[in-house]
Amino acid sequence: MYNIGEEHKKREEQQLRHEVTMFCFDFCINNFRTRKLDSIEQACLQHCAEKFMSYHIRAARIYEQQMLLKEDKQRQLLSNVLGGVGGLGGAGAVGGLAGAGAAAGTGGR
């Protein structure tokens, strides 16, 4: 069965692999004297990829934490607003509006 979430995740993983490859290749490979990587280039690529992924994972965790904090603040604000509306009279306010209409001669028709 086709799952949009899985497809999106695969695309993100491919994009991340591409970014790591391009960044580390540009950073670590400086010459093309031989067909194989020398030991310095191999070590650089390994270190670069590990560091890139480590920072990516850390940034994702921090982003997730910030989004959770933002959601909590929004929930608290909404709770305060909704709690305040109920505290201002709730159904009594509606009744007050109907009473005001009746006083103006427009209620009850």
Side-chain angles (χ1 to χ4, degrees):
M1 175 159 275
Y2 182 74
N3 187 336
I4 294 174
E6 289 178 15
E7 187 68 29
H8 181 70
K9 186 174 181 175
K10 284 180 184 178
R11 226 177 297 128
E12 285 181 346
E13 289 173 357
Q14 288 175 342
Q15 179 65 29
L16 181 61
R17 258 183 276 154
H18 176 73
E19 289 176 22
V20 170
T21 301
M22 295 304 295
F23 178 82
C24 293
F25 184 88
D26 290 343
F27 186 77
C28 295
I29 310 302
N30 298 314
N31 61 56
F32 297 93
R33 294 183 309 239
T34 63
R35 295 183 74 139
K36 294 186 177 186
L37 299 174
D38 63 28
S39 61
I40 294 172
E41 290 170 331
Q42 287 178 350
C44 179
L45 286 171
Q46 181 69 31
H47 180 73
C48 179
E50 288 174 0
K51 198 163 198 168
F52 190 98
M53 291 305 295
S54 175
Y55 281 114
H56 176 76
I57 290 168
R58 184 170 184 226
R61 284 183 186 150
I62 291 170
Y63 177 78
E64 182 180 6
Q65 289 172 350
Q66 292 299 316
M67 290 297 104
L68 290 173
L69 288 173
K70 184 177 179 179
E71 287 176 10
D72 285 345
K73 286 181 182 179
Q74 288 175 343
R75 263 191 230 103
Q76 288 176 350
L77 179 62
L78 184 60
S79 175
N80 290 344
V81 168
L82 292 178
V85 168
L88 291 177
V94 173
L97 291 175
T106 58
R109 289 187 212 173

